[in-house]
Coordinates of all heavy atoms in Angstrom, one line a residue:
M1 N -23.0 71.3 74.9 CA -21.7 71.8 74.5 C -21.8 73.3 74.4 O -22.7 73.9 73.8 CB -21.3 71.1 73.2 CG -19.9 71.5 72.8 SD -19.4 70.7 71.3 CE -19.7 69.0 71.6
Q2 N -20.7 74.0 74.8 CA -20.6 75.4 74.7 C -20.2 75.8 73.2 O -19.6 75.0 72.5 CB -19.6 75.9 75.6 CG -19.8 75.6 77.1 CD -21.0 76.4 77.6 OE1 -21.3 77.5 77.2 NE2 -21.8 75.8 78.5
P3 N -20.6 77.0 72.8 CA -20.2 77.5 71.5 C -18.7 77.7 71.4 O -18.1 78.0 72.4 CB -21.0 78.8 71.3 CG -21.3 79.2 72.7 CD -21.4 78.0 73.5
S4 N -18.1 77.5 70.2 CA -16.7 77.7 70.1 C -16.3 79.2 70.0 O -15.1 79.5 70.1 CB -16.1 76.9 69.0 OG -16.7 77.3 67.8
L5 N -17.2 80.1 69.7 CA -16.9 81.5 69.6 C -17.9 82.3 70.4 O -19.1 82.1 70.2 CB -16.9 81.9 68.2 CG -16.6 83.4 67.9 CD1 -15.2 83.7 68.3 CD2 -16.9 83.7 66.4
R6 N -17.4 83.1 71.3 CA -18.3 83.9 72.1 C -17.9 85.4 71.9 O -16.8 85.7 71.7 CB -18.1 83.6 73.6 CG -18.5 82.3 74.0 CD -18.4 82.1 75.5 NE -18.6 80.7 75.9 CZ -18.5 80.3 77.1 NH1 -18.2 81.1 78.1 NH2 -18.7 79.1 77.4
V7 N -18.9 86.2 71.9 CA -18.7 87.6 71.8 C -19.0 88.3 73.1 O -20.1 88.1 73.7 CB -19.6 88.2 70.6 CG1 -19.4 89.7 70.5 CG2 -19.3 87.5 69.3
Q8 N -18.1 89.1 73.6 CA -18.3 89.8 74.9 C -18.0 91.3 74.7 O -16.9 91.6 74.2 CB -17.5 89.1 75.9 CG -17.5 89.8 77.3 CD -16.7 89.1 78.3 OE1 -16.4 87.9 78.1 NE2 -16.2 89.8 79.3
P9 N -18.9 92.2 75.1 CA -18.5 93.6 75.0 C -17.3 93.9 75.8 O -17.1 93.3 76.9 CB -19.7 94.3 75.5 CG -20.8 93.3 75.5 CD -20.2 91.9 75.6
S10 N -16.5 94.7 75.4 CA -15.2 95.1 76.1 C -15.5 96.4 76.9 O -16.0 97.4 76.4 CB -14.1 95.3 75.1 OG -13.0 95.9 75.8
A11 N -15.1 96.4 78.2 CA -15.2 97.6 79.0 C -14.3 98.7 78.5 O -14.6 99.9 78.8 CB -15.0 97.2 80.4
H12 N -13.2 98.3 77.9 CA -12.2 99.3 77.4 C -12.7 100.0 76.2 O -12.2 101.1 75.9 CB -10.9 98.6 77.2 CG -10.4 98.0 78.5 ND1 -10.0 98.7 79.6 CD2 -10.3 96.7 78.8 CE1 -9.6 97.8 80.5 NE2 -9.8 96.6 80.1
A13 N -13.5 99.4 75.4 CA -13.9 100.0 74.1 C -15.4 99.6 73.9 O -15.7 98.6 73.3 CB -13.1 99.5 72.9
P14 N -16.3 100.4 74.5 CA -17.7 100.0 74.5 C -18.3 99.8 73.1 O -19.3 99.1 73.0 CB -18.4 101.2 75.2 CG -17.3 102.0 75.8 CD -16.0 101.6 75.1
T15 N -17.8 100.4 72.1 CA -18.4 100.2 70.8 C -17.8 99.0 70.0 O -18.2 98.7 68.9 CB -18.2 101.4 69.9 OG1 -16.8 101.7 69.8 CG2 -18.8 102.6 70.5
S16 N -16.8 98.3 70.6 CA -16.2 97.2 69.9 C -16.5 95.9 70.7 O -17.1 95.9 71.8 CB -14.7 97.3 69.7 OG -14.1 97.3 71.0
F17 N -16.1 94.8 70.1 CA -16.4 93.5 70.8 C -15.0 92.8 70.9 O -14.1 92.9 70.1 CB -17.3 92.6 70.0 CG -18.7 93.1 69.9 CD1 -19.1 94.0 69.0 CD2 -19.6 92.7 70.9 CE1 -20.4 94.4 68.9 CE2 -20.9 93.2 70.9 CZ -21.3 94.1 69.9
R18 N -14.9 92.0 72.0 CA -13.8 91.2 72.2 C -14.2 89.7 71.9 O -15.2 89.3 72.5 CB -13.3 91.3 73.6 CG -12.1 90.4 74.0 CD -11.6 90.7 75.4 NE -12.7 90.8 76.3 CZ -12.6 90.7 77.6 NH1 -11.5 90.4 78.1 NH2 -13.6 90.9 78.4
Y19 N -13.5 89.0 71.1 CA -13.9 87.7 70.8 C -13.1 86.7 71.6 O -11.9 86.8 71.7 CB -13.6 87.4 69.3 CG -14.5 88.2 68.4 CD1 -14.2 89.5 68.0 CD2 -15.8 87.7 68.1 CE1 -15.0 90.2 67.2 CE2 -16.6 88.4 67.3 CZ -16.3 89.7 66.8 OH -17.1 90.4 66.1
K20 N -13.7 85.7 72.1 CA -13.1 84.6 72.9 C -13.2 83.3 72.1 O -14.3 82.9 71.9 CB -13.7 84.5 74.3 CG -13.4 85.6 75.2 CD -14.0 85.2 76.5 CE -13.7 86.3 77.6 NZ -14.3 85.9 78.9
N21 N -12.1 82.8 71.7 CA -12.2 81.5 71.1 C -12.0 80.4 72.1 O -11.1 80.4 72.9 CB -11.1 81.3 70.0 CG -11.3 82.2 68.8 OD1 -12.4 82.2 68.3 ND2 -10.3 83.0 68.4
I22 N -13.0 79.5 72.2 CA -12.9 78.4 73.1 C -13.0 77.1 72.3 O -13.9 76.9 71.6 CB -14.1 78.5 74.1 CG1 -14.0 79.8 74.9 CG2 -14.1 77.3 75.1 CD1 -15.2 80.1 75.7
L23 N -12.0 76.3 72.5 CA -12.0 75.0 71.9 C -12.0 73.9 73.0 O -11.2 73.8 73.8 CB -10.7 74.8 71.0 CG -10.6 73.6 70.2 CD1 -11.7 73.5 69.2 CD2 -9.2 73.6 69.5
W24 N -13.1 73.2 73.0 CA -13.3 72.1 74.0 C -12.6 70.8 73.5 O -12.6 70.5 72.3 CB -14.8 71.9 74.2 CG -15.5 73.2 74.7 CD1 -16.3 74.0 73.9 CD2 -15.4 73.8 76.0 NE1 -16.7 75.1 74.7 CE2 -16.1 75.0 75.9 CE3 -14.7 73.4 77.2 CZ2 -16.3 75.8 77.0 CZ3 -14.9 74.3 78.3 CH2 -15.6 75.4 78.2
A25 N -12.2 70.0 74.5 CA -11.5 68.8 74.2 C -12.3 67.9 73.3 O -11.8 67.2 72.4 CB -11.1 68.1 75.5
E26 N -13.6 67.8 73.5 CA -14.4 66.9 72.7 C -14.6 67.3 71.3 O -15.0 66.6 70.5 CB -15.8 66.7 73.4 CG -16.6 67.9 73.5 CD -16.4 68.6 74.9 OE1 -15.5 68.3 75.7 OE2 -17.2 69.5 75.2
E27 N -14.1 68.5 71.0 CA -14.2 69.0 69.6 C -12.9 68.7 68.8 O -12.8 68.9 67.6 CB -14.4 70.5 69.6 CG -15.7 70.9 70.2 CD -15.9 72.4 70.3 OE1 -14.9 73.1 70.7 OE2 -16.9 72.9 70.0
L28 N -11.9 68.1 69.4 CA -10.6 67.9 68.8 C -10.6 66.5 68.2 O -11.3 65.6 68.6 CB -9.5 67.9 69.8 CG -9.3 69.3 70.5 CD1 -8.3 69.1 71.6 CD2 -8.9 70.3 69.5
A29 N -9.8 66.4 67.1 CA -9.5 65.1 66.6 C -8.3 64.5 67.3 O -7.4 65.3 67.7 CB -9.2 65.2 65.1
F30 N -8.2 63.3 67.6 CA -7.1 62.7 68.4 C -6.2 61.8 67.5 O -6.8 61.1 66.7 CB -7.7 62.0 69.6 CG -8.4 62.9 70.5 CD1 -9.8 62.8 70.6 CD2 -7.7 63.8 71.3 CE1 -10.4 63.7 71.5 CE2 -8.4 64.6 72.2 CZ -9.7 64.6 72.3
P31 N -5.0 61.8 67.8 CA -4.2 62.5 68.8 C -4.1 64.0 68.4 O -4.2 64.3 67.2 CB -2.9 61.8 68.8 CG -2.7 61.2 67.5 CD -4.1 60.9 67.0
T32 N -3.8 64.8 69.4 CA -3.7 66.2 69.2 C -2.5 66.8 69.9 O -2.2 66.3 71.0 CB -5.0 67.0 69.7 OG1 -6.1 66.6 68.9 CG2 -4.9 68.5 69.7
A33 N -1.8 67.7 69.3 CA -0.7 68.4 70.0 C -1.2 69.8 70.3 O -1.8 70.5 69.5 CB 0.5 68.5 69.1
V34 N -1.1 70.2 71.6 CA -1.4 71.5 72.0 C -0.1 72.2 72.4 O 0.6 71.7 73.3 CB -2.4 71.5 73.3 CG1 -2.6 72.9 73.8 CG2 -3.7 70.8 72.9
V35 N 0.2 73.3 71.8 CA 1.4 74.1 72.1 C 1.1 75.4 72.7 O 0.3 76.2 72.2 CB 2.3 74.3 70.8 CG1 3.6 75.0 71.1 CG2 2.5 73.0 70.1
L36 N 1.6 75.6 74.0 CA 1.3 76.9 74.7 C 2.6 77.7 74.9 O 3.7 77.1 74.9 CB 0.7 76.5 76.1 CG -0.6 75.6 76.1 CD1 -0.9 75.1 77.4 CD2 -1.7 76.5 75.5
S37 N 2.4 79.0 75.1 CA 3.5 79.9 75.4 C 3.5 80.2 76.8 O 2.5 80.7 77.4 CB 3.3 81.2 74.6 OG 3.3 80.9 73.2
A38 N 4.6 79.9 77.5 CA 4.7 80.0 79.0 C 4.4 81.4 79.5 O 3.8 81.6 80.5 CB 6.0 79.5 79.5
A39 N 4.9 82.4 78.7 CA 4.7 83.8 79.2 C 3.5 84.4 78.5 O 3.5 85.7 78.3 CB 6.0 84.6 78.9
D40 N 2.5 83.7 78.2 CA 1.3 84.2 77.5 C 0.6 85.1 78.4 O 0.3 84.8 79.6 CB 0.4 83.0 77.0 CG -0.5 83.4 75.9 OD1 -1.2 84.5 76.1 OD2 -0.6 82.7 74.9
S41 N 0.3 86.3 78.0 CA -0.5 87.3 78.8 C -2.0 87.2 78.5 O -2.8 87.9 79.2 CB 0.0 88.7 78.5 OG -0.2 89.0 77.1
I42 N -2.4 86.3 77.6 CA -3.8 86.2 77.3 C -4.4 84.9 77.6 O -5.4 84.7 78.3 CB -4.1 86.5 75.8 CG1 -3.6 87.9 75.4 CG2 -5.5 86.2 75.4 CD1 -3.6 88.2 74.0
V43 N -3.7 83.8 77.3 CA -4.2 82.4 77.5 C -3.7 82.0 78.9 O -2.6 82.1 79.3 CB -3.6 81.5 76.5 CG1 -3.9 80.0 76.8 CG2 -4.0 81.8 75.1
P44 N -4.7 81.5 79.7 CA -4.3 81.0 81.1 C -3.6 79.6 81.0 O -4.3 78.6 81.1 CB -5.7 80.9 81.8 CG -6.7 80.7 80.7 CD -6.1 81.4 79.5
V45 N -2.3 79.7 80.8 CA -1.6 78.4 80.5 C -1.7 77.3 81.5 O -2.0 76.2 81.2 CB -0.1 78.8 80.2 CG1 0.8 77.5 80.1 CG2 0.0 79.7 79.0
P46 N -1.6 77.6 82.9 CA -1.8 76.5 83.8 C -3.1 75.9 83.8 O -3.3 74.7 83.9 CB -1.6 77.2 85.2 CG -0.8 78.4 84.9 CD -1.2 78.9 83.5
E47 N -4.2 76.7 83.6 CA -5.5 76.1 83.5 C -5.7 75.3 82.2 O -6.4 74.2 82.3 CB -6.6 77.2 83.5 CG -6.7 77.9 84.9 CD -5.7 79.0 85.1 OE1 -4.8 79.2 84.3 OE2 -5.8 79.6 86.2
V48 N -5.2 75.7 81.1 CA -5.3 75.0 79.9 C -4.5 73.7 80.0 O -5.0 72.6 79.6 CB -4.8 75.8 78.7 CG1 -4.7 74.9 77.4 CG2 -5.7 77.0 78.4
R49 N -3.4 73.7 80.6 CA -2.6 72.5 80.8 C -3.4 71.5 81.7 O -3.5 70.3 81.3 CB -1.3 72.8 81.5 CG -0.5 71.5 81.8 CD 0.7 71.8 82.7 NE 1.8 72.2 82.0 CZ 3.0 72.5 82.5 NH1 3.1 72.5 83.8 NH2 4.0 72.8 81.8
R50 N -4.0 72.0 82.8 CA -4.8 71.1 83.6 C -6.0 70.5 82.9 O -6.4 69.4 83.1 CB -5.2 71.8 84.9 CG -4.1 71.9 85.9 CD -4.7 72.3 87.3 NE -5.3 73.6 87.2 CZ -4.6 74.8 87.4 NH1 -3.3 74.8 87.6 NH2 -5.3 75.9 87.4
Y51 N -6.6 71.4 82.1 CA -7.8 70.9 81.3 C -7.5 69.7 80.4 O -8.3 68.8 80.3 CB -8.3 72.1 80.5 CG -9.5 71.8 79.6 CD1 -10.8 71.5 80.2 CD2 -9.4 71.7 78.3 CE1 -11.9 71.2 79.4 CE2 -10.5 71.4 77.4 CZ -11.7 71.1 78.0 OH -12.8 70.8 77.2
F52 N -6.4 69.8 79.7 CA -6.0 68.7 78.8 C -5.3 67.5 79.5 O -5.1 66.5 78.9 CB -5.2 69.2 77.7 CG -6.0 70.0 76.7 CD1 -5.8 71.4 76.5 CD2 -6.9 69.4 75.9 CE1 -6.5 72.1 75.6 CE2 -7.7 70.1 75.0 CZ -7.5 71.5 74.8
A53 N -4.9 67.7 80.7 CA -4.1 66.6 81.4 C -4.9 65.3 81.5 O -4.3 64.3 81.6 CB -3.7 67.1 82.8
F54 N -6.2 65.4 81.5 CA -7.0 64.2 81.7 C -7.0 63.2 80.5 O -7.3 62.1 80.6 CB -8.5 64.5 82.0 CG -9.2 65.0 80.7 CD1 -10.0 64.0 80.0 CD2 -9.2 66.3 80.3 CE1 -10.6 64.4 78.8 CE2 -9.8 66.7 79.1 CZ -10.6 65.7 78.4
N55 N -6.6 63.8 79.3 CA -6.7 63.0 78.1 C -5.3 62.6 77.6 O -4.5 63.4 77.2 CB -7.4 63.9 77.0 CG -7.8 63.1 75.9 OD1 -7.2 62.1 75.5 ND2 -9.0 63.5 75.3
P56 N -5.1 61.3 77.6 CA -3.8 60.8 77.2 C -3.5 60.9 75.6 O -2.4 60.8 75.2 CB -3.8 59.3 77.5 CG -5.2 58.9 77.6 CD -6.0 60.2 78.0
S57 N -4.6 61.3 74.9 CA -4.4 61.5 73.5 C -4.1 62.9 73.1 O -4.0 63.3 71.9 CB -5.7 61.1 72.7 OG -6.0 59.8 72.9
V58 N -3.9 63.7 74.1 CA -3.4 65.1 73.9 C -2.0 65.3 74.5 O -1.8 65.0 75.6 CB -4.4 66.1 74.6 CG1 -3.9 67.5 74.4 CG2 -5.8 66.0 74.1
S59 N -1.2 65.7 73.6 CA 0.2 66.0 74.0 C 0.3 67.6 74.2 O 0.1 68.3 73.3 CB 1.2 65.6 72.8 OG 2.4 66.1 73.1
V60 N 0.6 68.0 75.4 CA 0.7 69.4 75.8 C 2.1 69.7 75.9 O 2.9 69.1 76.7 CB -0.1 69.7 77.1 CG1 0.1 71.2 77.4 CG2 -1.6 69.4 76.9
S61 N 2.6 70.7 75.1 CA 3.9 71.2 75.2 C 3.9 72.7 75.5 O 3.0 73.4 75.0 CB 4.7 71.0 73.9 OG 4.7 69.6 73.6
I62 N 4.9 73.2 76.3 CA 4.9 74.6 76.6 C 6.3 75.1 76.2 O 7.3 74.6 76.5 CB 4.7 74.8 78.1 CG1 3.3 74.3 78.5 CG2 4.9 76.3 78.5 CD1 3.0 74.4 79.9
L63 N 6.2 76.2 75.4 CA 7.4 76.9 75.0 C 7.8 77.8 76.1 O 7.1 78.8 76.4 CB 7.2 77.7 73.7 CG 6.7 76.9 72.5 CD1 6.3 77.9 71.4 CD2 7.7 75.9 72.1
P64 N 8.9 77.5 76.8 CA 9.3 78.2 78.1 C 9.5 79.7 78.0 O 9.2 80.4 78.9 CB 10.5 77.4 78.6 CG 11.1 76.7 77.4 CD 9.9 76.5 76.4
D65 N 10.0 80.2 76.9 CA 10.4 81.6 76.8 C 9.5 82.3 75.8 O 9.9 83.4 75.4 CB 11.9 81.8 76.5 CG 12.2 81.1 75.1 OD1 11.4 80.3 74.7 OD2 13.2 81.5 74.6
A66 N 8.4 81.8 75.5 CA 7.5 82.4 74.4 C 6.4 83.2 75.1 O 5.8 82.8 76.1 CB 7.0 81.4 73.5
R67 N 6.0 84.3 74.4 CA 4.8 85.0 74.8 C 3.7 84.7 73.8 O 3.9 83.9 72.9 CB 5.1 86.5 74.7 CG 6.1 86.9 75.8 CD 6.4 88.4 75.7 NE 7.0 88.6 74.4 CZ 7.6 89.7 74.0 NH1 7.7 90.7 74.8 NH2 8.1 89.9 72.8
H68 N 2.5 85.3 74.0 CA 1.4 85.0 73.1 C 1.7 85.2 71.6 O 2.1 86.2 71.2 CB 0.2 85.9 73.5 CG -1.1 85.6 72.8 ND1 -1.9 84.5 73.2 CD2 -1.6 86.1 71.7 CE1 -2.9 84.5 72.3 NE2 -2.8 85.4 71.4
G69 N 1.4 84.1 70.9 CA 1.6 84.2 69.4 C 3.0 84.0 68.9 O 3.2 83.9 67.7
E70 N 4.0 83.9 69.8 CA 5.4 83.8 69.4 C 5.7 82.5 68.8 O 6.8 82.3 68.2 CB 6.3 84.2 70.5 CG 6.4 85.6 70.8 CD 7.5 86.0 71.7 OE1 8.0 85.1 72.5 OE2 7.9 87.2 71.7
F71 N 4.9 81.5 68.9 CA 5.1 80.2 68.2 C 5.2 80.3 66.7 O 5.7 79.5 66.0 CB 4.1 79.1 68.7 CG 2.7 79.4 68.1 CD1 2.4 78.8 66.9 CD2 1.8 80.2 68.7 CE1 1.1 79.0 66.4 CE2 0.6 80.4 68.2 CZ 0.2 79.8 67.0
L72 N 4.7 81.4 66.2 CA 4.7 81.7 64.8 C 6.0 82.3 64.3 O 6.2 82.4 63.1 CB 3.5 82.7 64.4 CG 2.1 82.1 64.7 CD1 1.1 83.3 64.5 CD2 1.8 81.0 63.8
E73 N 6.8 82.7 65.2 CA 8.1 83.4 64.9 C 9.1 82.3 64.6 O 9.1 81.2 65.1 CB 8.6 84.3 66.0 CG 7.7 85.5 66.2 CD 8.2 86.4 67.2 OE1 9.3 86.1 67.9 OE2 7.6 87.5 67.4
G74 N 10.1 82.7 63.8 CA 11.2 81.8 63.3 C 11.9 81.0 64.4 O 12.1 79.9 64.3
R75 N 12.2 81.6 65.6 CA 12.9 80.9 66.6 C 12.1 79.8 67.2 O 12.7 78.9 67.8 CB 13.5 81.9 67.6 CG 12.5 82.5 68.5 CD 13.1 83.6 69.4 NE 12.2 84.2 70.2 CZ 12.2 84.2 71.5 NH1 13.1 83.5 72.1 NH2 11.2 84.8 72.2
H76 N 10.8 79.8 67.1 CA 10.0 78.8 67.7 C 9.4 77.8 66.7 O 8.9 76.7 67.0 CB 8.8 79.4 68.5 CG 9.3 80.2 69.7 ND1 9.9 79.6 70.8 CD2 9.3 81.5 69.9 CE1 10.2 80.5 71.7 NE2 9.9 81.7 71.2
C77 N 9.4 78.2 65.4 CA 8.8 77.4 64.4 C 9.3 76.0 64.3 O 8.5 75.0 64.2 CB 8.9 78.1 63.0 SG 7.8 79.5 62.8
D78 N 10.6 75.8 64.3 CA 11.2 74.4 64.2 C 10.7 73.6 65.4 O 10.3 72.4 65.2 CB 12.7 74.5 64.2 CG 13.2 75.1 62.8 OD1 12.4 75.1 61.9 OD2 14.4 75.5 62.8
G79 N 10.7 74.1 66.6 CA 10.2 73.3 67.7 C 8.8 72.9 67.6 O 8.4 71.8 67.9
V80 N 8.0 73.9 67.2 CA 6.5 73.6 67.1 C 6.3 72.6 66.0 O 5.5 71.6 66.2 CB 5.7 74.9 66.8 CG1 4.3 74.6 66.4 CG2 5.8 75.9 68.0
L81 N 7.0 72.7 64.9 CA 6.9 71.7 63.8 C 7.3 70.3 64.3 O 6.6 69.3 64.0 CB 7.7 72.0 62.6 CG 7.1 73.2 61.7 CD1 8.1 73.6 60.7 CD2 5.8 72.8 61.1
R82 N 8.3 70.2 65.1 CA 8.7 68.9 65.7 C 7.6 68.3 66.5 O 7.3 67.1 66.5 CB 10.0 69.0 66.4 CG 11.3 69.0 65.6 CD 12.5 68.8 66.4 NE 12.7 69.9 67.3 CZ 13.3 71.1 67.0 NH1 13.7 71.3 65.8 NH2 13.5 72.0 68.0
I83 N 7.0 69.2 67.4 CA 5.9 68.7 68.3 C 4.7 68.2 67.4 O 4.2 67.1 67.7 CB 5.5 69.9 69.2 CG1 6.6 70.2 70.2 CG2 4.2 69.6 69.9 CD1 6.5 71.5 70.9
V84 N 4.4 69.0 66.4 CA 3.2 68.6 65.6 C 3.5 67.3 64.8 O 2.7 66.4 64.8 CB 2.8 69.7 64.7 CG1 1.7 69.3 63.7 CG2 2.3 70.9 65.5
R85 N 4.7 67.2 64.3 CA 5.0 66.0 63.5 C 5.1 64.8 64.4 O 4.7 63.7 64.0 CB 6.4 66.2 62.8 CG 6.2 67.1 61.6 CD 7.5 67.3 60.9 NE 7.3 68.2 59.7 CZ 8.2 69.1 59.4 NH1 9.3 69.2 60.0 NH2 7.9 69.9 58.3
A86 N 5.5 64.9 65.6 CA 5.6 63.8 66.6 C 4.1 63.4 66.9 O 3.9 62.2 67.0 CB 6.3 64.2 67.8
A87 N 3.2 64.3 67.1 CA 1.8 64.0 67.3 C 1.2 63.3 66.1 O 0.5 62.3 66.3 CB 1.0 65.2 67.7
Q88 N 1.5 63.7 64.9 CA 1.0 63.1 63.7 C 1.6 61.6 63.6 O 0.8 60.7 63.2 CB 1.4 63.9 62.5 CG 0.6 65.2 62.4 CD 1.2 66.1 61.2 OE1 2.3 65.9 60.8 NE2 0.3 66.9 60.8
A89 N 2.8 61.4 63.9 CA 3.4 60.1 63.8 C 2.8 59.2 64.9 O 2.6 58.0 64.7 CB 4.9 60.2 64.0
W90 N 2.5 59.8 66.0 CA 1.9 59.0 67.1 C 0.5 58.5 66.7 O 0.1 57.4 67.1 CB 1.8 59.9 68.3 CG 1.3 59.3 69.6 CD1 1.5 58.1 70.0 CD2 0.4 60.0 70.5 NE1 0.8 57.9 71.2 CE2 0.1 59.1 71.5 CE3 -0.1 61.3 70.6 CZ2 -0.7 59.4 72.6 CZ3 -0.9 61.6 71.6 CH2 -1.2 60.6 72.6
G91 N -0.2 59.3 65.9 CA -1.6 58.9 65.5 C -1.6 58.0 64.4 O -2.4 57.2 64.1

């Protein structure tokens, strides 16, 4: 199993580090809701969607007009809460 946190030097800032959080499917409790932002400039949304597609215990939802981290903003919070509550009820 790969580590969940990797440190990689950044070419843009040689004295700092860029952290990559990697969460593997086998590390999740099931059922799980995964919420992605369609216009994410950091997370490779199509690849993440395909990665979780194999597992029927993972509900993948995509916020069509959201960018990275915008699921935390007011206009998306209610939708994300509904998705998470549905996954909890499903389990």
Side-chain angles (χ1 to χ4, degrees):
M1 184 180 309
Q2 300 290 329
S4 61
L5 179 65
R6 295 183 187 178
V7 178
Q8 176 178 337
S10 172
H12 302 291
T15 59
S16 67
F17 291 92
R18 177 176 43 160
Y19 293 90
K20 289 184 175 180
N21 289 313
I22 300 172
L23 185 61
W24 302 103
E26 60 268 10
E27 297 174 317
L28 298 172
F30 295 107
T32 295
V34 175
V35 181
L36 302 168
S37 300
D40 201 311
S41 61
I42 298 171
V43 175
V45 174
E47 289 84 355
V48 173
R49 177 193 273 180
R50 279 193 300 275
Y51 176 73
F52 286 112
F54 77 94
N55 193 325
S57 295
V58 177
S59 168
V60 178
S61 299
I62 298 179
L63 302 174
D65 59 341
R67 293 178 300 192
H68 185 79
E70 284 189 338
F71 70 94
L72 297 170
E73 291 184 358
R75 67 187 181 117
H76 296 291
C77 285
D78 289 340
V80 171
L81 284 174
R82 279 193 297 275
I83 293 165
V84 171
R85 286 182 180 139
Q88 290 172 335
W90 180 40

